[in-house]
């Protein structure tokens, strides 16, 4: 009786390792993303042929987090801040801008794996533009 063992995909582990190698060598990490994948939240005005390249240089992004499920960070695009959410299944490659060295992934690696990831829902966020509160002072007795 043979049992089929299911392993987790290698993509998130390899992406983290390549990202660290690129940064350790003072190069600029670029992320190639399949923007057509479900739950991918990137600035659509910069998507070409269903793909987008994102600059992951530490000085260009904020609140960077790379988990086994997704890559999230905040960045400015055309002067406008945007929260980015890239499911790991949407990552097609990570490479150094200066020399192109890095790793590109097989797009079919996640074909047999059910997509159970969804961007976290922030209960504090509303769909409408947040209203800014005026600063106020209160005297306490």
């Amino acid at each position: 009786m043979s049992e089929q063992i299911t392993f987790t995909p290698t993509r998130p582990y390899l992406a983290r390792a390549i990202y660290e190698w690129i940064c350790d060598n003072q190069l600029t990490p670029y992320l190639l993303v399949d923007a057509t994948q479900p739950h991918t939240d990137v600035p659509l005005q910069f998507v070409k042929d269903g793909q987008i390249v994102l600059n992951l240089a530490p000085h260009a992004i904020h609140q960077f987090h790379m988990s086994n499920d997704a890559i999230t960070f905040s960045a400015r695009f055309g002067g406008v801040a945007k929260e980015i959410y890239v499911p790991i299944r949407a990552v097609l490659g990570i490479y150094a801008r200066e020399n192109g060295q890095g790793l590109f992934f097989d797009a079919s690696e996640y074909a047999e794996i059910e997509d159970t990831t969804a961007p976290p829902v922030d209960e504090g966020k509303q769909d409408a533009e947040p209203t800014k509160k005026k600063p106020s002072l209160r005297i306490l007795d």
Side-chain angles (χ1 to χ4, degrees):
M1 206 160 108
S2 68
E3 258 182 57
Q4 186 172 359
I5 299 173
T6 305
F7 294 103
T8 58
T10 58
R11 189 175 302 186
Y13 302 94
L14 295 172
R16 280 193 294 272
I18 295 298
Y19 176 80
E20 285 185 32
W21 175 83
I22 291 169
C23 290
D24 285 351
N25 285 284
Q26 270 72 90
L27 300 172
T28 308
Y30 272 12
L31 187 71
L32 178 61
V33 176
D34 177 357
T36 66
Q37 286 293 319
H39 311 299
T40 303
D41 190 6
V42 296
L44 297 177
Q45 67 268 32
F46 299 106
V47 172
K48 290 188 176 136
D49 299 324
Q51 298 180 347
I52 186 170
V53 176
L54 300 169
N55 179 349
L56 296 184
H59 66 273
I61 59 177
H62 302 285
Q63 299 173 330
F64 178 73
H65 182 70
M66 190 182 307
S67 71
N68 287 352
D69 297 321
I71 297 173
T72 60
F73 60 93
S74 175
R76 293 182 102 46
F77 296 87
V80 178
K82 171 123 175 92
E83 297 294 322
I84 303 299
Y85 184 88
V86 178
I88 287 294
R89 70 176 35 232
V91 174
L92 297 176
I94 184 165
Y95 61 95
R97 177 192 71 190
E98 292 82 359
N99 61 14
Q101 289 188 356
L103 201 54
F104 294 88
F105 302 105
D106 179 8
S108 66
E109 179 181 15
Y110 281 80
E112 300 295 318
I113 299 172
E114 183 181 341
D115 181 12
T116 59
T117 62
V121 176
D122 186 351
E123 299 295 329
K125 284 189 176 178
Q126 301 293 330
D127 288 341
E129 282 291 315
T131 57
K132 290 187 178 182
K133 284 187 170 182
K134 292 182 180 178
S136 63
L137 292 175
R138 197 172 78 191
I139 298 174
L140 301 175
D141 292 324

